[in-house]
Amino acid sequence: MIPVTEFRQFTEQQPAFRVLKPWWDVFTDYLSVVMLMIGVFGCTLQVMQDKIICLPQRTFSPNQTELMCPPPSTNHESTVPVHELKGLKTNLDIQQYNYINQMCYEKALHWYAKYFPYLVLIHTVIFMVCSNFWFKFPGSSSKIEHFISILGKCFDSPWTTRALSEVSGENPEEKDNKKNSASRSNLDTSIGEGNLEKTQSLRSIPEKIVVDKPAASVLDKKEGEQAKALFEKVKKFRLHVEEGDILYMMYVRQTVVKVLKFILIIAYNSALVSKVRFSVTCTENMQDMTGYRYFCCNHTMAHLFSKLSYCYLCFVGVYGLTCLYTSYWLFYISLKEYSFEYVRQETGIDDIPDVKNDFAFMLHMIDQYDPLYSKRFAVFLSEVSENKLKQLNLNHEWTADKLRQKLQTNSNNRLELQLFMLSGLPDTIFEVTELQSLKLEIINNVTIPVAIAQLEDLQELSLYQCSLKIHSAATSFLKENLKVLRVKFDDARELPQWMYVLRNLEELHLIGSLSSDASKNVTLDSLRELKALKTLTLKSNFTKIPQSIVDVASHLQRLCICNDGTKLVMLNNLKKMVNLTELELVHCDLERIPHAIFSLSNLQTLDLKENNLRTIEEIVSFQHLRKLTCLKLWHNGIAFIPEHIKKLSSLERLYFSHNKIEILPSHLFLCNKLRYLDLSNNDIRFIPPEIGVLQSLQYFSVSCNKIENIPDELFFCKKLQTLKLGRNMLSVLSPKISFLGVLTHLELKGNHFEFLPAELGSCRALKRSGLVVEDTLFETLPSDIREQMQAE
């Protein structure tokens, strides 16, 4: 006989799966075990004991239409004298009796009476399979196993305990007082003062746990990394499970099958249970074999099977009612949607999202086991909780000492800290109180808290592709202290709105793409509030200068517009910036020098780099800009320099590099205040001797041209410190190079020199590091001069 333990495989699942077994599934499992025992017990009796006992019947009245065996309780009066009573002789041997019993069992006994225990066993196994099929089916079991694994880790994670403790500690005191007063009033009505004091003392324990956080609640680095990995697992699992509803449909189908099975069992069992009788009439024709045709039989298990069948019907009825309740629960409640509203209200974590489909269904099932599971699991669905964990891990990784090691001095001579691609802003930054400049690059979810007020020396802030939130109190601090702000963005909507109120801001640098329509709305309509703004840099794609810049025209001193090749066509607003001292119009596709520039009487520096200038005849109008000292016309297509250049007598720095200039006019050198002249990367073949007039010249570059000779007059410019002659067609360097006593940088590489003059030794300030020349050519110098240059 098969032992009962062999059937465990139909109901056995991992112990952890019990969290997905609501009370009705547990109850029906126990009912299934009882019904299984009934079936096993009945089958055992069928095998161990005689099934039926039959005796032949000699007389049968011709008037009877059906043979009726006398009931066991009927007492027939014997007509035979008592002294002659003897057993009736049938003249049948044991083999004939066995044959009669088998034939009558198969032919005369009702099938229900024969197979009742087997039916019970089969139905019960089907019930067991239906109850646990979703735990075994590959498409659903994998999701269940993954969910149970994540659920257990979330439940046991130290981060869950810490997050819930922190949130409960942030609840308003009034709410706690109401709860305490309500509990006290209930206790007053139910217990005496002595018990009340004891209860209050016990109740005070969790309050202390919330307020005074124990040291054990602080996560170490390993626990923090584990919690971080859990957040990622929960995200991926949610995306995967919310796509379908296979678990819900599997559970619904197996419940429907059980209900239909229940109806079927009740229907046919109720109709056939009466067929289990003790007395059975057998009329099989076995006269040739036994000499008898009619037999009366007793079904030995009939009485017990009848009782078992009624008992079985009762259990099936209870089982079916439980399944009907399950069906009601499945279809009455929306199980494909799950709301964490009660968790949000209880914990105060407001951003826990509602879930759907199989994810929602499993959480409903979990609630039937213990709602605490879903509450603790919800912590890992919250972005706020995840951000807190990231912040904690960030603080572990970036200590104040580590941040101090990254401090560097920037171009503005401020102590700067640069952070790149972090998950957030470490709180430890606010412990580095000596910080003067903070540069953040590609950092999402940056939150600037009130603690920024601890950085009393902070004056410069750079935000490159960062999504940033700021506390109102932190805004007040930045409003008073921030001097320089740099913002690089991909979308105009990323521009921080709080920058419009930085009344002490002196420099604003904005880098990002703005359409012409967006420039009207986004390009700082509120710049008028920036009363201290002196420098404004806009690297974007304007078609005209935004009107909003005019709002700061009265105090703006430096304007830089880099347009990334977009043609800037309307520049009339420049006329209103009368106090502008420095103007840069870079890569604006300008074909002529804008006339609006000539109205800027205070202009000192003009940069028209990377435009499309072909001619600069308008340069004559620069004579009205008497303060203009620096003119940058580099990286254009200028072919010649007009003679009107001589009228720019105040020029000190002139940039003509990367153009198409072939001839240098002698009038150029009438700008006798020039200290810096860059003519590199052109097509110049000849340098006029008038260059000797430039006695203030300190920097001169004609590298990357086609010059064959250098006039001796160049060496009369005795203040030259940098001379770049590289990549030309020079073959001889004049010995008069010795006149340049303050020369510190000389570039000769890329020419046709065969040797270097020994007079280079007279350039005492020139060292080997400042002499850019081929090593073989350097070796042509006398050894003492080489040693002199190589000496520190």
Side-chain angles (χ1 to χ4, degrees):
M1 187 61 192
I2 301 175
V4 179
T5 53
E6 293 296 324
F7 294 96
R8 291 177 58 189
Q9 60 179 318
F10 296 108
T11 59
E12 210 173 47
Q13 66 266 347
Q14 297 182 20
F17 283 10
R18 66 181 182 274
V19 297
L20 291 177
K21 300 278 286 187
W23 68 264
W24 52 81
D25 279 350
V26 176
F27 182 59
T28 53
D29 283 348
Y30 282 110
L31 290 176
S32 297
V33 172
V34 175
M35 291 187 289
L36 184 65
M37 294 301 297
I38 292 175
V40 172
F41 180 60
C43 291
T44 304
L45 292 177
Q46 287 276 66
V47 174
M48 301 295 294
Q49 298 186 16
D50 293 333
K51 302 174 183 177
I52 193 170
I53 299 175
C54 298
L55 292 176
Q57 186 171 352
R58 296 182 177 184
T59 59
F60 182 69
S61 173
N63 297 327
Q64 287 181 296
T65 59
E66 184 178 355
L67 177 64
M68 296 295 295
C69 291
S73 58
T74 304
N75 295 323
H76 298 277
E77 295 182 1
S78 178
T79 59
V80 182
V82 176
H83 65 276
E84 295 182 5
L85 285 177
K86 295 181 181 179
L88 298 177
K89 300 296 184 179
T90 59
N91 296 320
L92 297 176
D93 59 20
I94 187 65
Q95 295 297 331
Q96 290 173 317
Y97 275 115
N98 289 337
Y99 178 76
I100 293 168
N101 291 343
Q102 291 296 329
M103 288 297 295
C104 289
Y105 178 79
E106 295 296 334
K107 302 297 183 179
L109 191 64
H110 194 275
W111 67 267
Y112 180 77
K114 289 189 293 185
Y115 302 119
F116 163 73
Y118 303 110
L119 292 174
V120 172
L121 193 61
I122 292 172
H123 292 320
T124 305
V125 171
I126 292 175
F127 276 139
M128 289 181 172
V129 171
C130 288
S131 296
N132 299 279
F133 185 70
W134 71 317
F135 291 128
K136 304 293 183 180
F137 185 69
S140 56
S141 62
S142 59
K143 291 184 179 180
I144 293 174
E145 290 177 3
H146 197 183
F147 175 71
I148 295 299
S149 174
I150 294 176
L151 183 68
K153 292 177 181 178
C154 293
F155 189 86
D156 296 330
S157 173
W159 172 248
T160 310
T161 304
R162 173 169 179 146
L164 293 176
S165 298
E166 287 182 352
V167 169
S168 61
E170 293 172 358
N171 285 340
E173 294 181 0
E174 295 180 359
K175 184 176 180 179
D176 293 338
N177 293 335
K178 289 180 180 179
K179 291 182 178 179
N180 292 337
S181 61
S183 61
R184 288 192 185 98
S185 62
N186 292 335
L187 289 170
D188 289 338
T189 59
S190 59
I191 59 178
E193 293 182 355
N195 292 335
L196 176 59
E197 292 176 359
K198 183 177 180 180
T199 306
Q200 288 176 341
S201 64
L202 291 174
R203 190 173 58 247
S204 64
I205 293 175
E207 294 175 358
K208 291 181 180 178
I209 292 176
V210 173
V211 176
D212 301 326
K213 297 174 185 175
S217 67
V218 179
L219 299 183
D220 58 25
K221 184 175 181 180
K222 181 179 179 182
E223 291 171 338
E225 291 298 326
Q226 289 175 347
K228 181 180 178 181
L230 269 180
F231 272 105
E232 293 300 322
K233 286 183 179 179
V234 170
K235 281 184 180 178
K236 293 179 180 178
F237 179 75
R238 180 187 172 192
L239 290 175
H240 174 62
V241 175
E242 280 192 319
E243 292 177 353
D245 58 355
I246 183 173
L247 295 178
Y248 173 76
M249 295 307 299
M250 287 288 294
Y251 195 82
V252 168
R253 288 168 184 168
Q254 69 184 34
T255 302
V256 170
V257 169
K258 288 193 290 184
V259 170
L260 296 177
K261 191 73 175 175
F262 150 71
I263 296 173
L264 175 65
I265 293 172
I266 292 295
Y268 86 82
N269 274 270
S270 299
L272 299 178
V273 69
S274 60
K275 300 297 183 179
V276 182
R277 300 170 182 171
F278 182 76
S279 297
V280 181
T281 301
C282 180
T283 59
E284 294 299 322
N285 187 6
M286 293 181 284
Q287 193 168 2
D288 294 338
M289 303 292 294
T290 62
Y292 297 92
R293 184 175 182 180
Y294 307 105
F295 305 90
C296 285
C297 304
N298 289 337
H299 184 200
T300 57
M301 298 291 105
H303 181 73
L304 184 57
F305 279 6
S306 178
K307 298 297 185 287
L308 288 177
S309 63
Y310 283 112
C311 184
Y312 174 66
L313 282 176
C314 292
F315 283 118
V316 171
V318 176
Y319 192 101
L321 292 175
T322 307
C323 292
L324 289 174
Y325 173 81
T326 305
S327 301
Y328 167 79
W329 182 76
L330 284 172
F331 297 109
Y332 179 76
I333 302 175
S334 180
L335 299 179
K336 296 175 72 173
E337 296 177 356
Y338 187 91
S339 174
F340 284 101
E341 183 62 30
Y342 79 98
V343 180
R344 292 193 287 264
Q345 292 177 356
E346 185 175 348
T347 63
I349 305 177
D350 296 329
D351 70 322
I352 301 175
D354 296 337
V355 295
K356 59 183 180 179
N357 289 337
D358 281 344
F359 202 2
F361 176 66
M362 285 190 288
L363 289 172
H364 281 293
M365 298 291 281
I366 288 292
D367 282 348
Q368 297 299 320
Y369 181 80
D370 189 350
L372 182 61
Y373 277 89
S374 58
K375 177 182 176 181
R376 295 178 71 88
F377 186 78
V379 171
F380 287 88
L381 292 171
S382 167
E383 289 188 7
V384 172
S385 177
E386 183 178 9
N387 291 336
K388 285 184 179 179
L389 175 65
K390 289 180 180 178
Q391 191 66 41
L392 186 65
N393 290 337
L394 205 60
N395 295 340
H396 277 304
E397 181 180 359
W398 293 93
T399 61
D401 292 337
K402 184 176 180 179
L403 292 174
R404 285 189 174 93
Q405 294 175 3
K406 291 179 65 64
L407 289 177
Q408 295 180 347
T409 302
N410 65 7
S411 58
N412 292 335
N413 202 28
R414 291 190 176 103
L415 207 56
E416 183 176 82
L417 174 63
Q418 180 178 357
L419 298 178
F420 179 73
M421 290 188 70
L422 299 185
S423 58
L425 191 65
D427 293 332
T428 49
I429 283 181
F430 310 115
E431 300 177 17
V432 188
T433 54
E434 64 270 27
L435 188 63
Q436 295 176 314
S437 174
L438 180 59
K439 185 176 182 180
L440 308 177
E441 293 189 56
I442 316 179
I443 301 179
N444 295 322
N445 301 319
V446 176
T447 300
I448 298 182
V450 183
I452 197 173
Q454 299 175 16
L455 305 179
E456 297 179 355
D457 296 332
L458 184 66
Q459 296 181 355
E460 186 172 337
L461 180 61
S462 301
L463 304 173
Y464 288 179
Q465 295 177 329
C466 298
S467 57
L468 183 140
K469 298 177 183 178
I470 187 167
H471 195 275
S472 57
T475 304
S476 301
F477 170 80
L478 295 178
K479 183 191 300 184
E480 299 296 331
N481 293 271
L482 203 62
K483 302 294 184 184
V484 180
L485 175 63
R486 293 182 176 87
V487 181
K488 184 177 181 180
F489 54 92
D490 294 325
D491 192 334
R493 289 171 293 185
E494 297 177 7
L495 282 172
Q497 296 300 309
W498 47 266
M499 71 180 183
Y500 302 127
V501 299
L502 303 177
R503 59 190 180 193
N504 289 325
L505 192 68
E506 297 178 357
E507 295 183 23
L508 177 60
H509 305 269
L510 301 179
I511 305 172
S513 177
L514 290 172
S515 64
S516 57
D517 293 334
S519 65
K520 299 178 182 178
N521 301 322
V522 180
T523 314
L524 324 173
D525 290 338
S526 303
L527 281 181
R528 62 177 63 92
E529 300 295 330
L530 308 182
K531 302 297 183 182
L533 189 65
K534 297 179 181 179
T535 299
L536 177 60
T537 300
L538 301 174
K539 187 175 181 181
S540 188
N541 52 352
F542 301 108
T543 57
K544 62 180 181 179
I545 295 180
Q547 179 65 30
S548 57
I549 296 181
V550 181
D551 297 335
V552 292
S554 60
H555 47 82
L556 194 65
Q557 297 179 5
R558 182 175 183 269
L559 175 62
C560 176
I561 297 178
C562 182
N563 226 31
D564 289 334
T566 302
K567 191 175 184 63
L568 193 61
V569 293
M570 298 183 65
L571 297 165
N572 292 331
N573 286 336
L574 286 176
K575 296 180 180 179
K576 301 177 183 180
M577 301 181 189
V578 293
N579 292 319
L580 209 61
T581 60
E582 185 174 345
L583 175 62
E584 296 181 17
L585 300 177
V586 179
H587 210 182
C588 296
D589 196 27
L590 299 176
E591 296 179 357
R592 306 295 292 266
I593 298 176
H595 291 278
I597 296 177
F598 306 138
S599 302
L600 305 178
S601 57
N602 290 314
L603 195 64
Q604 298 177 11
T605 300
L606 175 62
D607 188 354
L608 299 178
K609 180 181 179 182
E610 293 181 343
N611 282 285
N612 196 23
L613 299 177
R614 295 288 184 269
T615 177
I616 51 174
E617 292 294 338
E618 301 88 351
I619 202 170
V620 66
S621 299
F622 280 144
Q623 62 182 320
H624 303 297
L625 306 181
R626 302 189 181 279
K627 295 182 180 181
L628 186 65
T629 59
C630 180
L631 179 59
K632 300 180 179 181
L633 299 174
W634 48 350
H635 295 269
N636 280 282
I638 300 171
F640 68 96
I641 301 175
E643 63 178 18
H644 307 299
I645 190 75
K646 65 183 179 180
K647 296 184 179 181
L648 307 183
S649 58
S650 60
L651 275 184
E652 297 180 4
R653 303 173 68 87
L654 183 59
Y655 297 75
F656 269 120
S657 65
H658 295 85
N659 279 286
K660 298 179 180 180
I661 300 171
E662 296 182 1
I663 299 176
L664 289 179
S666 58
H667 303 285
L668 171 64
F669 304 109
L670 295 179
C671 302
N672 52 18
K673 291 185 179 181
L674 279 177
R675 293 185 294 108
Y676 187 107
L677 180 58
D678 188 356
L679 298 168
S680 60
N681 292 276
N682 281 283
D683 296 323
I684 301 171
R685 296 179 178 274
F686 175 74
I687 299 178
E690 286 82 1
I691 192 174
V693 178
L694 303 179
Q695 292 299 305
S696 299
L697 194 63
Q698 299 178 9
Y699 179 101
F700 181 62
S701 175
V702 287
S703 57
C704 299
N705 279 282
K706 300 177 181 179
I707 301 172
E708 298 181 358
N709 295 295
I710 297 294
D712 291 341
E713 287 79 2
L714 173 63
F715 304 109
F716 296 154
C717 304
K718 297 183 178 181
K719 292 184 179 180
L720 263 179
Q721 298 178 8
T722 300
L723 177 59
K724 295 186 176 182
L725 304 174
R727 297 186 181 181
N728 279 283
M729 303 176 68
L730 300 173
S731 57
V732 177
L733 182 62
S734 172
K736 293 183 179 180
I737 188 73
S738 61
F739 294 172
L740 305 179
V742 294
L743 189 67
T744 59
H745 185 89
L746 176 61
E747 182 178 325
L748 300 174
K749 194 172 185 178
N751 284 283
H752 304 305
F753 295 115
E754 296 182 358
F755 65 92
L756 294 178
E759 286 78 6
L760 271 177
S762 300
C763 303
R764 297 292 179 178
L766 185 63
K767 302 298 180 183
R768 179 65 182 96
S769 60
L771 178 60
V772 182
V773 68
E774 292 86 351
D775 291 339
T776 54
L777 194 58
F778 179 72
E779 295 295 327
T780 62
L781 287 172
S783 59
D784 57 333
I785 296 177
R786 295 200 305 269
E787 293 175 359
Q788 171 190 323
M789 289 187 175
Q790 290 174 344
E792 293 294 336

